[in-house]
Coordinates of all heavy atoms in Angstrom, one line a residue:
V1351 N 3.8 1.0 8.1 CA 2.7 1.4 8.9 C 1.9 2.5 8.1 O 2.6 3.4 7.6 CB 3.2 2.0 10.2 CG1 2.1 2.6 11.1 CG2 4.0 0.9 11.0
L1352 N 0.6 2.4 8.1 CA -0.2 3.3 7.4 C -0.4 4.5 8.4 O -1.0 4.4 9.4 CB -1.6 2.7 7.0 CG -2.5 3.6 6.3 CD1 -2.0 4.0 4.9 CD2 -3.9 2.9 6.1
G1353 N 0.1 5.7 8.0 CA -0.1 6.9 8.8 C 1.2 7.7 9.0 O 2.3 7.1 8.9
P1354 N 1.0 9.0 9.3 CA 2.2 9.8 9.4 C 3.1 9.5 10.7 O 2.5 9.0 11.7 CB 1.6 11.2 9.5 CG 0.2 11.0 10.0 CD -0.2 9.7 9.5
S1355 N 4.3 9.7 10.5 CA 5.3 9.5 11.6 C 6.1 10.8 11.7 O 6.5 11.4 10.8 CB 6.2 8.4 11.3 OG 7.4 8.5 12.1
A1356 N 6.2 11.3 13.0 CA 7.0 12.5 13.2 C 8.4 12.4 12.6 O 9.0 13.4 12.2 CB 7.0 12.9 14.7
E1357 N 9.0 11.2 12.7 CA 10.4 11.0 12.3 C 10.6 11.0 10.8 O 11.5 11.5 10.2 CB 11.0 9.8 12.9 CG 11.1 9.8 14.4 CD 11.6 8.4 14.9 OE1 12.1 7.7 14.1 OE2 11.5 8.2 16.1
T1358 N 9.7 10.4 10.1 CA 9.9 10.1 8.6 C 8.9 10.7 7.7 O 9.0 10.6 6.5 CB 9.8 8.6 8.4 OG1 8.6 8.1 8.8 CG2 10.9 7.9 9.2
G1359 N 7.9 11.4 8.2 CA 6.9 11.9 7.3 C 5.7 11.0 7.3 O 4.6 11.2 7.8
G1360 N 5.9 9.8 6.6 CA 4.9 8.7 6.7 C 3.7 8.9 5.9 O 2.7 8.2 6.1
W1361 N 3.6 9.9 4.9 CA 2.4 10.1 4.2 C 2.3 9.2 3.0 O 1.3 9.2 2.3 CB 2.4 11.6 3.8 CG 2.3 12.5 4.9 CD1 3.3 13.2 5.5 CD2 1.1 12.8 5.7 NE1 2.8 13.9 6.6 CE2 1.5 13.7 6.7 CE3 -0.2 12.3 5.6 CZ2 0.6 14.2 7.7 CZ3 -1.1 12.8 6.5 CH2 -0.7 13.7 7.6
G1362 N 3.4 8.6 2.6 CA 3.4 7.8 1.4 C 2.3 6.7 1.3 O 1.6 6.6 0.3
L1363 N 2.2 5.9 2.3 CA 1.2 4.8 2.3 C -0.2 5.4 2.3 O -1.1 4.8 1.8 CB 1.4 3.8 3.4 CG 2.6 2.9 3.2 CD1 2.7 1.9 4.3 CD2 2.4 2.1 1.9
L1364 N -0.4 6.6 2.9 CA -1.8 7.2 2.9 C -2.1 7.6 1.4 O -3.2 7.4 1.0 CB -1.8 8.4 3.7 CG -1.8 8.1 5.2 CD1 -1.7 9.4 6.0 CD2 -3.1 7.4 5.6
L1365 N -1.1 8.0 0.6 CA -1.3 8.3 -0.8 C -1.6 7.1 -1.6 O -2.5 7.0 -2.4 CB -0.1 9.0 -1.4 CG 0.1 10.5 -1.1 CD1 1.5 10.9 -1.5 CD2 -1.0 11.3 -1.7
V1366 N -0.8 6.0 -1.3 CA -1.0 4.7 -2.0 C -2.5 4.2 -1.7 O -3.2 3.8 -2.6 CB 0.0 3.7 -1.5 CG1 -0.3 2.3 -2.1 CG2 1.4 4.1 -2.0
D1367 N -2.9 4.3 -0.4 CA -4.2 3.9 0.0 C -5.3 4.6 -0.8 O -6.3 4.1 -1.1 CB -4.4 4.1 1.5 CG -5.6 3.5 2.0 OD1 -5.8 2.2 1.8 OD2 -6.4 4.2 2.7
Q1368 N -5.1 5.9 -1.0 CA -6.1 6.7 -1.8 C -6.0 6.5 -3.3 O -7.1 6.5 -3.9 CB -5.8 8.2 -1.5 CG -6.1 8.6 -0.1 CD -7.6 8.4 0.3 OE1 -8.5 8.9 -0.4 NE2 -7.9 7.7 1.4
L1369 N -4.9 6.2 -3.8 CA -4.7 6.1 -5.3 C -4.9 4.7 -5.8 O -5.4 4.6 -7.0 CB -3.3 6.6 -5.7 CG -3.1 8.1 -5.4 CD1 -1.6 8.4 -5.7 CD2 -4.0 9.0 -6.3
A1370 N -4.5 3.7 -5.1 CA -4.6 2.3 -5.6 C -6.0 1.8 -5.4 O -6.7 2.1 -4.5 CB -3.6 1.5 -4.9
T1371 N -6.3 0.9 -6.3 CA -7.6 0.1 -6.2 C -7.6 -0.7 -4.9 O -8.5 -0.9 -4.2 CB -7.8 -0.7 -7.4 OG1 -7.8 0.1 -8.6 CG2 -9.1 -1.5 -7.4
R1372 N -6.4 -1.4 -4.7 CA -6.2 -2.1 -3.5 C -4.6 -2.2 -3.3 O -3.9 -2.1 -4.3 CB -6.8 -3.5 -3.5 CG -6.3 -4.4 -4.6 CD -7.2 -5.7 -4.7 NE -6.6 -6.6 -5.7 CZ -6.8 -6.5 -7.0 NH1 -7.6 -5.5 -7.5 NH2 -6.3 -7.4 -7.9
W1373 N -4.2 -2.5 -2.0 CA -2.8 -2.6 -1.8 C -2.7 -3.5 -0.5 O -3.6 -3.7 0.2 CB -2.1 -1.3 -1.6 CG -2.4 -0.6 -0.3 CD1 -3.5 0.2 -0.1 CD2 -1.7 -0.6 0.9 NE1 -3.5 0.7 1.2 CE2 -2.3 0.2 1.8 CE3 -0.5 -1.2 1.2 CZ2 -1.9 0.4 3.1 CZ3 0.0 -1.0 2.5 CH2 -0.7 -0.2 3.4
G1374 N -1.5 -4.0 -0.3 CA -1.2 -4.8 0.9 C 0.3 -5.2 1.0 O 1.1 -4.7 0.3
V1375 N 0.5 -6.0 2.0 CA 1.9 -6.5 2.3 C 1.8 -8.0 2.4 O 0.9 -8.6 3.0 CB 2.3 -5.9 3.6 CG1 3.8 -6.4 4.0 CG2 2.2 -4.4 3.7
T1376 N 2.8 -8.7 1.8 CA 2.9 -10.1 1.9 C 4.3 -10.4 2.4 O 5.3 -9.9 1.8 CB 2.7 -10.7 0.4 OG1 1.5 -10.3 -0.1 CG2 2.7 -12.2 0.5
E1377 N 4.3 -11.2 3.5 CA 5.6 -11.7 4.0 C 6.1 -12.7 3.1 O 5.4 -13.6 2.5 CB 5.4 -12.2 5.4 CG 5.1 -11.1 6.4 CD 4.9 -11.5 7.8 OE1 5.7 -12.4 8.2 OE2 4.1 -11.0 8.5
R1378 N 7.5 -12.7 2.9 CA 8.1 -13.7 2.0 C 8.7 -14.9 2.8 O 9.2 -14.6 3.9 CB 9.2 -13.1 1.2 CG 8.7 -12.0 0.3 CD 9.7 -11.4 -0.6 NE 11.0 -11.2 0.1 CZ 12.1 -10.8 -0.6 NH1 12.1 -10.6 -1.8 NH2 13.2 -10.6 0.1
D1379 N 8.6 -16.1 2.3 CA 9.2 -17.3 3.0 C 10.7 -17.1 3.3 O 11.2 -17.6 4.3 CB 8.9 -18.5 2.2 CG 7.5 -18.9 2.2 OD1 6.7 -18.5 3.1 OD2 7.0 -19.6 1.3
S1380 N 11.4 -16.4 2.4 CA 12.8 -16.3 2.5 C 13.2 -15.1 3.4 O 14.4 -14.8 3.4 CB 13.4 -16.1 1.1 OG 12.9 -15.0 0.5
G1381 N 12.3 -14.5 4.0 CA 12.5 -13.3 4.8 C 12.2 -12.0 4.0 O 12.3 -12.0 2.8
G1382 N 11.8 -11.0 4.7 CA 11.5 -9.8 4.1 C 10.0 -9.8 3.7 O 9.2 -10.5 4.2
K1383 N 9.7 -8.9 2.8 CA 8.3 -8.7 2.4 C 8.1 -8.1 1.0 O 9.1 -7.7 0.4 CB 7.6 -7.7 3.4 CG 8.2 -6.3 3.3 CD 7.7 -5.3 4.3 CE 8.5 -4.1 4.4 NZ 9.9 -4.2 4.6
S1384 N 6.9 -8.2 0.6 CA 6.5 -7.6 -0.7 C 5.4 -6.6 -0.4 O 4.4 -7.0 0.2 CB 6.0 -8.6 -1.7 OG 5.4 -8.0 -2.8
V1385 N 5.6 -5.3 -0.7 CA 4.5 -4.3 -0.6 C 4.0 -4.1 -2.0 O 4.8 -3.9 -2.9 CB 5.0 -3.0 0.0 CG1 3.8 -2.0 0.3 CG2 5.7 -3.3 1.4
W1386 N 2.7 -4.3 -2.2 CA 2.1 -4.3 -3.5 C 0.9 -3.3 -3.6 O 0.3 -3.1 -2.6 CB 1.8 -5.6 -4.0 CG 0.8 -6.4 -3.1 CD1 1.1 -7.1 -2.0 CD2 -0.6 -6.3 -3.1 NE1 0.0 -7.6 -1.3 CE2 -1.1 -7.1 -2.0 CE3 -1.5 -5.6 -3.9 CZ2 -2.5 -7.2 -1.7 CZ3 -2.9 -5.7 -3.6 CH2 -3.3 -6.5 -2.5
A1387 N 0.6 -2.9 -4.8 CA -0.6 -2.0 -5.0 C -1.0 -2.3 -6.5 O -0.3 -2.6 -7.4 CB -0.2 -0.6 -4.9
V1388 N -2.4 -2.3 -6.6 CA -3.0 -2.4 -8.0 C -3.6 -1.1 -8.4 O -4.3 -0.5 -7.6 CB -4.0 -3.5 -7.9 CG1 -4.8 -3.6 -9.3 CG2 -3.4 -4.9 -7.6
V1389 N -3.2 -0.6 -9.6 CA -3.7 0.6 -10.1 C -4.5 0.2 -11.4 O -4.0 -0.6 -12.2 CB -2.6 1.6 -10.5 CG1 -3.1 2.8 -11.2 CG2 -1.7 1.9 -9.3
T1390 N -5.8 0.6 -11.4 CA -6.6 0.2 -12.6 C -7.0 1.4 -13.4 O -7.1 2.5 -12.9 CB -7.8 -0.6 -12.1 OG1 -8.6 0.3 -11.2 CG2 -7.5 -1.9 -11.3
T1391 N -7.5 1.1 -14.6 CA -8.0 2.1 -15.5 C -9.4 2.5 -15.2 O -9.8 3.6 -15.5 CB -7.9 1.6 -17.0 OG1 -8.7 0.4 -17.1 CG2 -6.5 1.4 -17.5
C1392 N -10.1 1.6 -14.5 CA -11.5 2.0 -14.2 C -11.7 2.7 -12.9 O -12.7 3.2 -12.6 CB -12.3 0.7 -14.1 SG -11.7 -0.5 -13.0
G1393 N -10.6 2.9 -12.0 CA -10.7 3.6 -10.8 C -11.6 2.9 -9.9 O -12.5 2.1 -10.2
G1394 N -11.5 3.1 -8.6 CA -12.3 2.4 -7.6 C -12.1 1.0 -7.5 O -11.2 0.4 -8.1
S1395 N -12.8 0.3 -6.6 CA -12.6 -1.1 -6.3 C -13.1 -2.0 -7.4 O -14.1 -1.7 -8.0 CB -13.3 -1.4 -5.0 OG -12.8 -0.7 -3.9
E1396 N -12.4 -3.1 -7.6 CA -12.9 -4.1 -8.5 C -13.8 -5.1 -7.7 O -13.6 -5.3 -6.5 CB -11.7 -4.9 -9.1 CG -10.8 -4.1 -9.9 CD -9.6 -4.9 -10.4 OE1 -9.0 -5.5 -9.5 OE2 -9.3 -4.8 -11.6
A1397 N -14.7 -5.6 -8.4 CA -15.6 -6.5 -7.7 C -15.0 -7.9 -7.5 O -14.1 -8.3 -8.2 CB -16.9 -6.7 -8.5

């Protein structure tokens, strides 16, 4: 979940959202998920 939580802090994904060019979550067919982020040398969004 993107956003702070009183129980866990929850600031990590807000940092990822600010630092990464893009990020997301992909559910896996075998169960579970992949949380991913792209960091680029050019900064900002890619076209």
